[in-house]
Amino acid sequence: MTGAPDFAVEIYQNEYLSVGATEVNAIITVTTSGTGPATAATPPGSAAEVIIVDTSGSMHVPRTKLSSAKQATAAAIDTLRDGVAFAVIAGTDDARLVYPYRHGLEVASAQTRAEAKQAVAKLSANGGTAIGKWLRLADSLFATQQSSMRHAILLTDGQNMHETPRQLNRTIAEVTGHFVCDARGVGTDWEVKELRQIADTLLGTVDIVAEPEGLEADFRAMAASAMNKAVADVSLRLWTPQGATVKFVKQVEPTLSDLTARRTEVPPRSGDYPTGSWGTETRDYHVCVQVPAAATGEKMLAGRVSLVMPGPSGETVVGKGNILAVWTEDSALSTRINREVAHYTGQAELADAIQEGLEARKAGDVGTATAKLGRAVQLATETGHSDTAKLLAKVVDVEDAKTGTVRLKRKVAAVDEMTLDTRSSKTMRVRRKTTEES
């Protein structure tokens, strides 16, 4: 395993409020470092990986889809370090354990990796799709060991046709907090909302792999990323003063994820928000707190942020920072917009505009779709989000990017629409000012 990382917390905000103002916004940047290079082996039982492969009948069309999924699964297995506990699940309208051959997880070694790849090579496609059953089996496998790092890769090419939305929602709720799950859709017949819900709730990522040939590199990258995680189950703890209300807590970089409803109360006046597992990386969070108004010149600690991780002898605070509020009659101070807060507020609006615009387009609401996607083009241009602008240009004809004047394209390839939708929640880090620019 890698060594435990060092956490650093930085707070970006304009702490000055006008008289009568009550809303405090801050961007929390968390950076981890010092994990060191990954070693060749992992202490047995400390990390676990479950790979879930869709083997429903549609995986035969085209025939390269299943063969590419097998190759991708083999690549992920090869990426596992010695000592990692792992399993492979085949998903249809049921869930079947492919490897190991008895219920549980197997410890990765040269022999077990070879055995698992042999089992994967024999997979065939038949049946329907019931993703909740796949997640439930994965959860039961993780439960056989007390691994601190628990990660799943889920691949599907279709919609969840053999379960009701209520059944899937119930399963997701039951497994939440038990493991992290990265979800991938191959082709264009799957439902973006379904996989986004799974990935967001299970603190993973979601993406489209348009062509089966792209699966191997993607699976290898996901497995490698999981192997580089060093600390699991880190929580962002937010304390607020008497009379204050937390409006929201969101991860805003590298992807958008609303954590507000995931709060676990920690008396007095604190709540924990899950952030999942960490390696060497940086993430940004947007915190918004409603506080009681105060008189000119008054100062308040509007919130205290701590990064908390579990340990054998209790929890450890690995980073912290303060959110402040100062009331002033100086409009030059109170109206100054913090660039980090403004940047990520725009990123969230961009994602909402894309998703709402695409939904309106599907529903045949041309006016709303045009307005929303036009606003998305405008925001992407203003924020320098060139990748998103290129994806938008495949869905709309842009007449004036600065004003957001667009026309809906009559024909849009499904892969272009789904790629825009899936990647709308990916954000671009705010560019920090250098010393020379300050």
Side-chain angles (χ1 to χ4, degrees), residues 27-151:
I27 298 299
I28 319 299
T29 295
V30 181
T31 301
T32 55
S33 60
T35 60
T39 57
T42 293
S46 63
E49 183 80 23
V50 174
I51 304 168
I52 307 169
V53 184
D54 187 339
T55 56
S56 61
S58 57
M59 287 291 287
H60 265 318
V61 184
R63 298 189 66 85
T64 55
K65 198 185 292 183
L66 182 60
S67 61
S68 294
K70 291 180 185 181
Q71 292 172 6
T73 302
I77 291 169
D78 280 335
T79 306
L80 303 178
R81 291 195 302 273
D82 286 354
V84 173
F86 76 104
V88 180
I89 292 172
T92 59
D93 47 316
D94 205 347
R96 178 174 66 87
L97 182 60
V98 176
Y99 187 85
Y101 305 118
R102 43 107 187 119
H103 188 82
L105 301 170
E106 186 59 84
V107 176
S109 66
Q111 178 180 338
T112 58
R113 282 192 291 269
E115 291 173 351
K117 288 188 290 184
Q118 289 175 358
V120 169
K122 298 175 183 177
L123 290 176
S124 59
N126 186 41
T129 304
I131 298 175
K133 291 183 178 179
W134 312 353
L135 294 172
R136 196 180 296 275
L137 176 56
D139 190 46
S140 71
L141 295 173
F142 283 122
T144 63
Q145 291 196 14
Q146 295 299 314
S147 303
S148 58
M149 312 291 295
R150 302 171 301 277
H151 178 258

Side-chain angles (χ1 to χ4, degrees), residues 151-156 179-185 190 192 194-209 218-219 221-223 225-226 229 251 253-257 275 277 281 283 422-423 425-427:
H151 178 258
I153 294 173
L154 185 153
L155 172 72
T156 186
F179 58 94
V180 172
C181 183
D182 289 325
R184 294 294 184 267
W190 52 284
V192 175
E194 286 179 349
L195 290 199
R196 179 179 284 133
Q197 178 190 4
I198 292 168
D200 283 355
T201 307
L202 302 186
L203 302 176
T205 61
V206 60
D207 205 351
I208 182 173
V209 184
D218 198 41
F219 268 45
M222 283 188 287
S225 177
K229 300 297 184 183
Q251 178 182 287
E253 211 284 331
T255 58
L256 291 168
S257 181
T275 68
S277 303
E281 57 189 299
R283 302 182 203 170
T422 306
R423 297 180 183 170
S425 57
K426 290 187 177 182
T427 55

